[in-house]
Amino acid sequence: MYQAIVFLPLLGAVLAALIALAGARARHPGAGPPPGGDHAAHHHSDHAAHHDAHGHEPAAVGSRTAELITTTLLMISMILSWIAFVQVGFGPQDARVPLFTWIAVGDLKVEWSLRIDTLTVVMLVVVNTISALVHLYSIGYMAEDPYRPRFFSYLSLFTFSMLMLVTSDNLVQMFFGWEGVGLMSYLLIGFWYHKPEANAAAIKAFIVNRVGDFGFALGIFALFMLVGSVDLDTIFAQAPSLAGKSINFLGWHADALTLICLLLFMGAMGKSAQFLLHTWLPDAMEGPTPVSALIHAATMVTAGVFMVARLSPLFELAPSAQTFVTFIGATTALFAATVALVQNDIKRIVAYSTCSQLGYMFVAMGVGAYSVGMFHLFTHAFFKALLFLGSGSVIHAMHHEQDIRHMGGLKDRIPFTYIVMVIGTLALTGFPLTAGYFSKDAIIEAAFAGHNPMALYAFVCTAAAALLTSFYSWRLIFKTFHGEPHDRKHYQAAHESPMVMLIPLAFLAIGSIVAGLPFKEIFAGPGVAKFFRESLTFAKDNRILEEMHHVPLTVALLPTVLMAVGFLVSWQFYIRRPDIPVELARQHEVLYRFLLNKWYFDEIYDALLVRPTKWLGRLLWKGGDGWLIDGFGPDGVSARVLDVTRNVVRLQTGYLYHYAFAMLIGAAAFITWFMFAPGMR
C-alpha cells in the first residue's frame, strides 16, 4: 500500500509526459506555448496555428486522457493515504519499507526506503488530498489550454517529489525530494515560459531556494562528518553524544548541534519562504492558480516545517537554534501580515497570508510545540487551498482580472464562490469552531507559555498578526464581493465556475470547518504522546503542551477578540466609509509606499547583491575573458602569429625587380653598418 501511495503519482506523471510528447509531435511546426499568464492561451493570437484542417487541436491530443489518468491515480493515492493515517496513527507500530540500496561508497551507505510513522501519514494525507483536489480543479481551470498533458505531468511529478521528501528515511533521500520539489516549482511557476514575468519569477524562486539549500546541504555534510551516517535513526541515537562538541572552522569554534540546526533551518527558510528568503513566494503567483494552491498551501512551502519537526531530536538539544527559529517565525508572521494590508492582487494577498501562517508554524516549532505546528500545517492546508482555488474561481469569472480594485459586488454573480471564500476567511482568521481557530490559537498560547528568550516576542508578533490577518482577509472579501461593481463589463459577464471546479471547493470548505475539533486531541491535547509516539521528540523538561493549556483566560481569548476587532475595522473601512483608507494612504504616503513595495526587499537585494554580481560578471567577461585571456592567452598568441604571417606574405610579390631592389637596400645597409660601426674599421 505504501509503495502505491508514493509511486502512483510518478506513474501518472510518466504517462502524462508520454501523452505530452505525442501531442508535441502532432502539433503544427513552429507553434509555441502560449506566452501569456493565467489562461492567456485562450486568447493567444496564434490560436489558429494549433488547429489542423479539420478544426481539431493537435497540441491537445490526449489531453482528456492525461487529465483522467493523473487525477484518478491521485484520488487512489489520497484514499490509501487516509487508510494509512488511520492504520498507523491509531495502530500499534510504525513501518519501514526497504526498496533498494541507492548509494554505497566508502562509509556512505544510503538505503532507499520509506519511513512510515505518524508524522509521515499526516503529511501523506495533506499532500495527496490537496494535490488530488487541485488535479480535479485543474481539469476545469485549464480546460482551454492546449498544453494540459505537460501541466498535469508536472503536477503529478511535483506531488511525487513531495511524497519522497516526507517518506524519507535518511537525509540524502530527503534532499532528493527537497530538490525535486524545487525543480518542479521552477517548471510550474514558469509554465508559460514565453511570458517574461513568469520566466523571471521561476528563476527567482529557483535561485532563492538554492541559497537556502546550500545551508541545508552543509548541515547534512556536518552531520555525516560527526556521526558517520545520514540514516535518521542512527543520527537520532547519537544526537545526545554530540552535546558539547564543537566544529572548528577557520579558527572559529562553534557548538556543533547549534551550527548544524541553524544550517538545516537555513534550508527551511528558503523552502518555506521565511523572512530574508521570502522574496520568491509572492512572485510565484505568476504561475497558474492551481499551481499556487498546490505549492503554497500543502506541499513545497510546508517542507521546511516538516523537516524541523522530523529533526526535533536535534533541535531539542540546541536551544539557541530553537530561539533563532522562534525569532524568524515571529518576524515572518508580522512582516508578511503588514505587507498583505495594502496589496491589490487577489493572489498576492493570499500568498502573503501563506507566508505569515508559515511563520506561525515555525513559532510553534521554536518553542518546542512541534505537534501544534503540525496541527496548523494540517488545518492550514485546507483553508489556504480553498482561498487560492476560490481566488482562481473569481479570476475565471472576471475574465482573468486579478486586481481587487476592479471587482466588487460579485456575491450576486458567483454566490457559491462567495460562500466558500467566506468559509476560508473565517478559518484563516480563527473564527470559533473553524479549523484555524483551534490550531492558530494554540500556537499563540504556546508562544505565551514558551520559555526561550524569544517566546514573548513571538507572542506579541503572532497576536498582532492575528489582528492584521483578520483585517486584510476581510478587506479582500469586501472589495471583491461587496459594494458596487468597478468593472461593469466583466461584472455582467461574470458567471459561476464549472462543476468540476466547484466540487473541490466544496470539499475544501468542509475540511476548513471539520479539520480542527476532531483532531485537536491528537495534535494539541493529551493524545499527542499516544498518536505521535516516537515520530516527534520532546525533551524531559519540555512541558509546553501541558503549560499552554493553563495560560490566563485573557490570553486564551485574545486571538478571538483581535479577530473581531480586525473584522470591525475592515467593515468600517471598506463597507461603511470607503473613503477612510484612501485618506489614510494619502496622509501616510511614506508608510503606504513602504508596505506596498514590500519593505523594499527586492530593491535592497538588487542594490546589494544583484547589481554587484552583474558588475563583477561583466568585468570578468569583458576584462578577464575578453581582454586578458583572449588577448594574451592561446587565442591571443595565435592571432598575433596570424597577423605577422599575413604581413610577411605580402613581401612575396613574385616580381624580380622587387627582389633586386630589396637586395640593393640590404647591401647598402650592410656596407653602411660596416663603414660606421665601431671596431669594424
Side-chain angles (χ1 to χ4, degrees):
M1 178 176 71
Y2 303 122
Q3 294 95 323
I5 291 173
V6 173
F7 289 104
L8 282 179
L10 176 62
L11 176 62
V14 172
L15 293 176
L18 293 176
I19 294 171
L21 288 174
R25 291 179 179 177
R27 190 160 54 243
H28 188 279
D38 270 6
H39 289 201
H42 304 178
H43 311 286
H44 186 36
S45 60
D46 295 331
H47 185 70
H50 298 307
H51 292 74
D52 59 18
H54 302 287
H56 298 115
E57 198 172 49
V61 170
S63 291
R64 182 63 65 192
T65 303
E67 293 169 349
L68 293 178
I69 288 174
T70 53
T71 305
T72 301
L73 292 177
L74 254 297
M75 290 292 178
I76 296 172
S77 187
M78 176 189 70
I79 294 170
L80 293 176
S81 297
W82 279 101
I83 294 174
F85 179 83
V86 175
Q87 287 184 350
V88 176
F90 303 97
Q93 59 185 9
D94 303 335
R96 296 289 185 280
V97 183
L99 299 178
F100 55 87
T101 299
W102 185 21
I103 300 173
V105 180
D107 294 333
L108 179 61
K109 292 179 174 58
V110 180
E111 298 290 333
W112 199 293
S113 58
L114 306 180
R115 183 187 185 97
I116 307 298
D117 56 17
T118 47
L119 188 60
T120 301
V121 294
V122 168
M123 293 301 297
L124 290 179
V125 163
V126 169
V127 172
N128 281 323
T129 300
I130 302 304
S131 183
L133 294 176
V134 166
H135 274 72
L136 181 62
Y137 179 92
S138 299
I139 293 176
Y141 194 82
M142 304 292 287
E144 297 181 37
D145 190 284
Y147 296 87
R148 296 193 296 283
R150 176 162 61 94
F151 180 78
F152 278 85
S153 177
Y154 287 172
L155 284 183
S156 292
L157 196 54
F158 184 99
T159 305
F160 166 73
S161 298
M162 191 66 191
L163 294 175
M164 289 286 14
L165 192 159
V166 302
T167 59
S168 57
D169 196 33
N170 59 75
L171 291 176
V172 176
Q173 188 178 332
M174 184 183 290
F175 194 72
F176 169 83
W178 194 271
E179 294 303 303
V181 293
L183 171 62
M184 297 317 300
S185 68
Y186 169 79
L187 295 174
L188 285 168
I189 293 169
F191 180 70
W192 287 303
Y193 53 84
H194 279 199
K195 182 184 178 186
E197 294 86 353
N199 207 19
I203 294 173
K204 185 175 183 179
F206 194 79
I207 291 176
V208 173
N209 272 277
R210 295 292 71 72
V211 175
D213 294 353
F214 179 66
F216 188 37
L218 288 179
I220 296 174
F221 296 155
L223 271 175
F224 180 73
M225 179 185 71
L226 293 175
V227 178
S229 174
V230 293
D231 180 71
L232 291 177
D233 286 336
T234 304
I235 291 172
F236 296 159
Q238 297 191 30
S241 65
L242 298 179
K245 288 189 176 181
S246 62
I247 294 178
N248 184 1
F249 180 72
L250 299 178
W252 174 46
H253 295 273
D255 180 72
L257 275 174
T258 300
L259 180 61
I260 288 171
C261 288
L262 288 176
L263 289 172
L264 295 172
F265 179 64
M266 183 177 173
M269 288 176 62
K271 199 66 68 182
S272 296
Q274 291 301 281
F275 187 69
L276 300 180
L277 293 180
H278 65 277
T279 54
W280 67 270
L281 188 139
D283 289 8
M285 296 302 103
E286 294 294 341
T289 298
V291 173
S292 303
L294 186 61
I295 292 180
H296 302 121
T299 51
M300 177 170 159
V301 294
T302 60
V305 180
F306 164 79
M307 185 264 286
V308 174
R310 172 64 78 200
L311 300 179
S312 58
L314 298 180
F315 280 88
E316 281 291 90
L317 298 171
S320 297
Q322 283 185 310
T323 300
F324 183 74
V325 172
T326 306
F327 169 75
I328 291 294
T331 304
T332 305
L334 184 60
F335 153 75
T338 62
V339 176
L341 293 175
V342 298
Q343 298 302 306
N344 296 308
D345 186 306
I346 188 170
K347 288 170 63 178
R348 282 180 182 260
I349 296 172
V350 183
Y352 275 109
S353 172
T354 299
C355 191
S356 181
Q357 297 304 307
L358 288 166
Y360 275 90
M361 298 176 204
F362 279 112
V363 166
M365 297 294 164
V367 298
Y370 304 104
S371 61
V372 176
M374 291 302 300
F375 189 22
H376 197 50
L377 186 156
F378 180 77
T379 61
H380 174 264
F382 291 97
F383 58 75
K384 190 50 60 70
L386 174 61
L387 288 172
F388 268 119
L389 296 184
S391 298
S393 184
V394 172
I395 295 168
H396 182 271
M398 286 295 290
H399 201 70
H400 324 304
E401 177 61 66
Q402 296 183 199
D403 194 325
I404 60 175
R405 293 173 297 182
H406 299 158
M407 301 178 187
L410 287 175
K411 65 182 177 64
D412 299 323
R413 305 295 300 178
I414 46 175
F416 183 83
T417 300
Y418 169 66
I419 292 171
V420 296
M421 285 286 282
V422 169
I423 292 174
T425 299
L426 289 172
L428 172 61
T429 58
F431 188 80
L433 300 182
T434 60
Y437 168 75
F438 295 101
S439 59
K440 189 167 77 170
D441 286 22
I443 291 177
I444 296 175
E445 292 167 9
F448 182 83
H451 297 291
N452 77 46
M454 283 295 163
L456 181 59
Y457 170 76
F459 170 72
V460 174
C461 287
T462 52
L467 171 66
L468 300 179
T469 299
S470 180
F471 176 83
Y472 69 69
S473 298
W474 287 111
R475 170 180 178 262
L476 184 153
I477 294 294
F478 294 150
K479 288 185 72 69
T480 302
F481 295 101
H482 291 259
E484 292 297 320
H486 295 281
D487 188 334
R488 282 284 178 183
K489 178 181 178 181
H490 289 155
Y491 172 80
Q492 294 296 337
H495 57 85
E496 199 64 86
S497 299
M499 190 60 65
V500 73
M501 293 171 62
L502 298 183
I503 291 174
L505 292 178
F507 277 103
L508 290 170
I510 294 171
S512 299
I513 297 173
V514 304
L517 183 59
F519 301 94
K520 180 183 178 183
E521 175 77 10
I522 62 175
F523 280 104
V528 170
K530 182 179 179 181
F531 180 78
F532 282 101
R533 298 190 288 274
E534 297 180 358
S535 61
L536 292 177
T537 298
F538 297 89
K540 290 182 179 180
D541 59 346
N542 183 355
R543 300 206 304 265
I544 187 71
L545 295 181
E546 177 185 346
E547 294 171 352
M548 60 181 280
H549 293 296
H550 297 91
V551 298
L553 181 61
T554 52
V555 173
L557 293 177
L558 181 63
T560 303
V561 173
L562 293 175
M563 176 271 299
V565 171
F567 169 80
L568 292 174
V569 174
S570 187
W571 176 273
Q572 177 73 10
F573 276 27
Y574 298 103
I575 298 296
R576 294 190 62 191
R577 292 284 306 279
D579 59 299
I580 293 179
V582 177
E583 183 63 23
L584 283 176
R586 188 187 64 80
Q587 292 178 358
H588 306 280
E589 186 176 357
V590 174
L591 177 61
Y592 176 74
R593 291 291 172 188
F594 179 72
L595 298 179
L596 188 64
N597 288 285
K598 303 159 287 186
W599 290 28
Y600 292 102
F601 268 103
D602 285 330
E603 290 78 4
I604 292 171
Y605 285 166
D606 185 64
L608 295 180
L609 301 174
V610 178
R611 291 182 187 175
T613 302
K614 286 184 176 180
W615 176 85
L616 180 62
R618 191 173 291 107
L619 175 66
L620 294 175
W621 168 37
K622 294 291 188 180
D625 190 43
W627 180 77
L628 181 63
I629 296 176
D630 289 345
F632 297 95
D635 289 346
V637 172
S638 61
R640 300 295 80 74
V641 171
L642 186 61
D643 291 341
V644 171
T645 54
R646 284 174 177 168
N647 291 328
V648 170
V649 164
R650 292 178 181 175
L651 298 177
Q652 308 296 322
T653 63
Y655 293 109
L656 182 62
Y657 66 88
H658 284 174
Y659 300 142
F661 180 72
M663 292 174 61
L664 181 61
I665 294 296
F670 177 74
I671 293 171
T672 301
W673 175 76
F674 182 79
M675 291 175 60
F676 294 101
M680 298 301 293
R681 285 182 279 180

